[in-house]
């Protein structure tokens, strides 16, 4: 551990698997104390145990980020377990694709809820803690910067056919980012976003027959990008490769370090040079 985030309390939603897991492991490797969340308790506990085995600190707050009361429970877990709140990464989410004429109201609302409404509720629940901590720091003459990193996508910056719900939510989170940077600047909170390009995860690595699915709250959701299409996309990436979850986590980490203390209200695209 290099301890660039020594003692910082970090909450990462959707951190039991995929990119979220790698974000959590990266922050923990730099000394942060983690609150791990996943829809399912098993992967959340496994990630937390990996951190603890490596000498770090982690607790679990399992459950859907869209559940009533989850946001308050998530924040409370960090405060009760570690006494504070320094980093929030709004990462949880999934895709449920369809062209506009076939998309149901349920599909639309589910994706808006997980990618846009849930981060809003988490930030709203965090505000009293952030405000109180900022006042404590000011009274003690300390300059402490806290971090929010919201996860967007190139679908949110440029749109993507078949993903009107996802693109709308991921575009909306950029508006949340810019607004919260203005509202929370007085608290010394940097609010930024990372928009991912093609990254190899269970949501993109579909089977050759196109029948890959995941279960989300008892719903079977089709996922995966056609392997041939993924190969074509790879050829369009200037760096020549689809990104890994570890590389995606590195982009988020940049916004969690003190090096970003004068950067706020911004987004970067982590896509190897690929843009829509």
């Amino acid at each position: 551990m290099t301890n660039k985030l020594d003692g910082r309390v970090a909450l990462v939603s959707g951190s039991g698997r995929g990119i979220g897991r790698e974000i959590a492991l990266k922050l923990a490797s730099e000394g942060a104390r983690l609150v791990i969340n996943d829809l399912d308790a098993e992967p959340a506990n496994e990630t937390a145990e990996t951190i603890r085995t490596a000498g770090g600190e982690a607790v679990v707050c399992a459950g859907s980020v869209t559940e009533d009361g989850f946001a308050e429970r998530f924040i409370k877990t960090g405060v009760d377990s570690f006494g504070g709140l320094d980093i929030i990464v709004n990462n949880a989410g999934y895709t449920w694709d369809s062209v506009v004429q076939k998309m149901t109201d349920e599909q639309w609302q589910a994706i808006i809820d997980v990618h846009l409404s849930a981060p809003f509720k988490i930030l709203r629940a965090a505000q009293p803690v952030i405000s109180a901590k900022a006042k404590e720091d000011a009274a003690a003459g300390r300059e402490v910067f806290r971090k929010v990193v919201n996860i967007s996508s190139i679908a949110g910056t440029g749109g993507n056919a078949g993903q009107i719900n996802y693109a709308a939510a991921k575009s909306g989170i950029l508006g949340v980012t810019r607004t919260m940077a203005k509202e929370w600047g007085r608290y010394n909170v940097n609010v930024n976003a990372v928009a991912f390009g093609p990254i190899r995860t269970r949501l993109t690595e579909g089977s050759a027959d196109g029948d890959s699915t995941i279960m989300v709250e008892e719903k079977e959701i089709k996922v995966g990008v056609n392997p041939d299409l993924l190969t074509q996309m790879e050829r369009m990436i200037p760096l020549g490769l689809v990104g890994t979850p570890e590389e995606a986590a590195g982009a988020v980490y940049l916004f969690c370090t003190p090096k970003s203390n004068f950067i706020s209200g911004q987004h970067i695209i982590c896509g190897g040079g690929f843009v829509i």
Side-chain angles (χ1 to χ4, degrees):
M1 295 185 182
T2 60
N3 297 321
K4 291 181 180 178
L5 302 176
D6 192 28
R8 308 288 274 174
V9 180
L11 283 64
V12 184
S13 67
S15 49
R17 291 171 275 214
I19 293 172
R21 171 186 165 84
E22 295 305 324
I23 293 169
L25 295 180
K26 178 62 178 175
L27 299 186
S29 75
E30 297 290 345
R33 297 175 289 174
L34 269 295
V35 178
I36 303 298
N37 159 259
D38 197 89
L39 181 63
D40 303 312
E42 184 176 352
N45 285 321
E46 194 278 330
T47 298
E49 184 57 29
T50 298
I51 291 170
R52 290 191 287 262
T53 299
E57 296 181 68
V59 296
V60 169
C61 181
S64 172
V65 296
T66 65
E67 288 177 1
D68 288 342
F70 171 81
E72 291 76 13
R73 181 164 62 89
F74 196 31
I75 300 302
K76 188 174 186 297
T77 300
V79 174
D80 289 353
S81 300
F82 301 123
L85 173 59
D86 299 294
I87 298 168
I88 299 172
V89 181
N90 283 309
N91 168 77
Y94 61 98
T95 55
W96 194 0
D97 299 345
S98 186
V99 290
V100 66
Q101 68 270 25
K102 295 181 180 180
M103 182 166 290
T104 66
D105 289 350
E106 182 186 17
Q107 277 179 281
W108 170 267
Q109 197 60 55
I111 298 304
I112 296 296
D113 285 347
V114 72
H115 289 285
L116 190 55
S117 297
F120 154 70
K121 292 177 181 179
I122 289 169
L123 296 174
R124 182 176 62 184
Q127 193 279 337
V129 177
I130 295 288
S131 176
K133 290 295 181 182
K135 290 175 182 176
E136 289 178 17
D137 294 336
R142 297 186 299 260
E143 185 178 59
V144 178
F145 286 85
R146 292 178 172 83
K147 313 289 182 177
V148 172
V149 186
N150 295 317
I151 303 304
S152 185
S153 165
I154 55 173
T157 60
N160 195 32
Q163 289 191 316
I164 189 171
N165 52 358
Y166 183 70
K170 288 306 192 184
S171 179
I173 201 66
L174 297 178
V176 168
T177 298
R178 290 187 285 267
T179 298
M180 293 309 302
K182 293 179 178 179
E183 287 194 15
W184 283 6
R186 62 195 174 114
Y187 300 141
N188 282 349
V189 179
N190 306 111
V191 187
N192 294 292
V194 176
F196 293 133
I199 306 291
R200 291 192 184 277
T201 70
R202 67 185 183 129
L203 299 184
T204 58
E205 294 279 72
S207 61
D209 58 13
D211 288 334
S212 296
T213 62
I214 60 171
M215 294 300 297
V216 179
E217 299 181 34
E218 300 182 351
K219 297 189 294 288
E220 187 175 23
I221 307 294
K222 184 177 180 180
V223 297
V225 177
N226 180 283
D228 292 337
L229 178 59
L230 202 61
T231 299
Q232 292 176 27
M233 291 172 65
E234 196 165 41
R235 295 194 191 104
M236 298 170 63
I237 298 172
L239 289 182
L241 294 169
V242 172
T244 67
E246 293 86 354
E247 289 165 335
V252 174
Y253 168 69
L254 293 175
F255 279 141
C256 295
T257 71
K259 298 298 184 183
S260 67
N261 283 357
F262 202 58
I263 302 172
S264 202
Q266 305 302 310
H267 78 271
I268 59 171
I269 295 176
C270 176
F274 180 82
V275 294
I276 294 178

